């Protein structure tokens, strides 16, 4: 059974950095589009960044220039490097595998990792 395991979250001051990791256990990510999402309290889950199997990336407007998504296919791991964090980045962060055609998520959500940015 394929599972998503996110880690790396924590409490950080505004302007700080964090690096999130997502390990896909029981499967392989090579050939897959991978995405990072976040969900803040009272808000819908939103796509933050995604990366194709070829390394092409796309970011949400609110994180462009501050977040970087990357992948290590050999380790079945996707990363999200977050810099210049802001209080509005506070959320639970999740990863998932995305369908190529319509970017719908393909796996059950993992537990996520909490990111809290203090002002």
């Amino acid at each position: 059974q394929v599972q998503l395991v996110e880690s790396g979250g924590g409490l950080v001051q505004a302007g700080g950095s964090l690096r999130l990791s997502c390990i896909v256990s029981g499967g392989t990510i090579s050939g897959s589009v991978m995405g990072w999402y976040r969900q803040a309290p009272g808000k819908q889950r939103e796509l933050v960044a995604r990366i194709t199997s070829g390394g092409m990336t796309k970011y949400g407007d609110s994180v462009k220039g501050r977040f970087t998504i990357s992948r290590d296919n050999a380790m079945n791991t996707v990363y999200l490097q977050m810099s210049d964090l802001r209080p509005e980045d506070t959320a639970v962060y999740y990863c998932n595998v995305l369908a190529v055609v319509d970017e719908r998520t393909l796996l059950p959500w993992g537990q996520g990792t909490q990111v809290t940015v203090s002002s």
Side-chain angles (χ1 to χ4, degrees), residues 33-102:
V33 180
M34 301 297 301
W36 277 99
Y37 292 75
R38 67 185 180 188
Q39 187 168 22
K43 295 187 177 181
Q44 287 192 334
R45 197 169 302 185
E46 63 172 343
L47 179 63
V48 172
R50 71 111 172 93
I51 183 168
T52 68
S53 59
M56 292 182 62
T57 58
K58 182 173 76 174
Y59 298 92
D61 289 340
S62 62
V63 306
K64 281 181 183 176
R66 300 189 297 121
F67 290 11
T68 302
I69 187 171
S70 61
R71 63 193 294 159
D72 184 339
N73 291 339
M75 298 295 291
N76 281 335
T77 303
V78 182
Y79 303 98
L80 186 68
Q81 177 67 48
M82 306 186 295
S83 303
D84 189 23
L85 283 162
R86 305 167 182 171
E88 53 264 39
D89 294 319
T90 295
V92 180
Y93 284 72
Y94 304 85
C95 67
N96 214 311
V97 180
L98 308 184
V100 173
V101 174
D102 57 8

Side-chain angles (χ1 to χ4, degrees), residues 23-39:
I23 297 174
V24 181
S25 65
T28 178
I29 68 170
S30 60
S32 298
V33 180
M34 301 297 301
W36 277 99
Y37 292 75
R38 67 185 180 188
Q39 187 168 22

